[in-house]
Amino acid sequence: MTDDLFAHEGAPHWTQTLAPGAVVLRGFAAECAPTLMQMIDQLTRVAPFRQMTTPGGFIMSAAMSNCGALGWVTDAQGYRYSRHDPLTDAPWPAMPVLFAQLAQQAAHEAGFADFVADACLMNRYAVGSRMSLHQDKNERDFSQPIVSVSLGLPAIFQFGGMQRSDAVQRIPLTQGDVLVWGGPSRLRFHGVQAIKAGTEDYRFNLTFRKAG
């Protein structure tokens, strides 16, 4: 492990347990949030945000891009990971070292010591955008957790059970909060309620995964 870059002494930081294998690290990335936002801007100049289309023909509410060796895409061919941006046929931008370190340290703090992300989904939510309940199951190894970083506008994260019909927890997330779920919670349904207006223009979310 590298030195602790994120949960600095004196910074507001505490852990909220949601379920076995699932926690919110409150304020974990708060101090580096401005730098993360600058990096998102740089990365999406190379691989712009876009609203992808589901296999059923629906346009996704949130705009998306990727960085890292693999990127998540959806179109008429289905949900999958690709090494190339379908807009340009070029490789996705490399994952910044700060992104990789943040994901690794957050996973370690949540109890997943061996996590090394090879994919980072970057989501941009305008006011009114949302993400319906779904499972993250396009990855090869479900023993690896998901690490999700919140930036910009606040959000209400919905964390459900193993069935779409299960009751959901509604968890407020603000800038710098990092949500990690894995182990027995890895395939829980989750989503994001419609984003409300605030002092920022967008909510941004970095979702780190071991996809390959």
Side-chain angles (χ1 to χ4, degrees):
M1 285 294 296
T2 59
D3 293 337
D4 188 351
L5 300 174
F6 304 99
H8 296 291
E9 185 177 354
H13 173 236
W14 58 281
T15 299
Q16 177 184 358
T17 300
L18 304 180
V23 299
V24 183
L25 305 176
R26 296 290 184 182
F28 191 82
E31 291 196 6
C32 67
T35 302
L36 296 174
M37 294 287 286
Q38 292 173 3
M39 290 180 171
I40 291 170
D41 180 64
Q42 293 168 359
L43 291 163
T44 54
R45 292 180 186 179
V46 178
F49 282 115
R50 78 293 304 263
Q51 288 173 277
M52 297 186 185
T53 303
T54 70
F58 296 99
I59 298 175
M60 296 186 68
S61 180
M64 300 182 64
S65 187
N66 295 276
C67 66
L70 294 166
W72 186 87
V73 298
T74 174
D75 55 25
Q77 299 177 43
Y79 305 114
R80 64 194 183 281
Y81 284 94
S82 171
R83 294 189 178 276
H84 294 85
D85 183 343
L87 289 183
T88 63
D89 201 34
W92 297 104
M95 187 185 304
V97 171
L98 181 65
F99 279 25
Q101 291 176 332
L102 170 58
Q104 185 179 27
Q105 289 192 14
H108 186 271
E109 180 141 336
F112 301 97
D114 299 325
F115 180 67
V116 178
D118 59 7
C120 175
L121 284 65
M122 299 180 289
N123 295 327
R124 185 186 68 191
Y125 293 81
V127 173
S129 297
R130 59 188 295 273
M131 187 76 72
S132 60
L133 287 173
H134 64 283
Q135 295 169 298
D136 292 338
K137 56 182 183 180
N138 299 126
E139 300 75 33
R140 293 184 180 181
D141 184 358
F142 293 157
S143 72
Q144 298 295 311
I146 304 294
V147 177
S148 177
V149 181
S150 290
L151 301 165
L153 287 171
I156 302 296
F157 186 83
Q158 296 177 300
F159 195 60
M162 296 300 180
Q163 304 296 324
R164 189 184 299 273
S165 58
D166 289 345
V168 300
Q169 299 180 61
R170 291 175 173 81
I171 302 137
L173 297 174
T174 58
Q175 175 152 290
D177 289 341
V178 181
L179 200 155
V180 183
W181 68 98
S185 291
R186 174 61 177 75
L187 291 177
R188 283 178 178 255
F189 278 86
H190 56 280
V192 177
Q193 290 185 193
I195 300 299
K196 295 183 178 180
T199 58
E200 305 288 340
D201 292 330
Y202 298 102
R203 181 208 183 216
F204 294 90
N205 171 241
L206 301 175
T207 301
F208 296 95
R209 306 176 184 180
K210 180 69 173 70

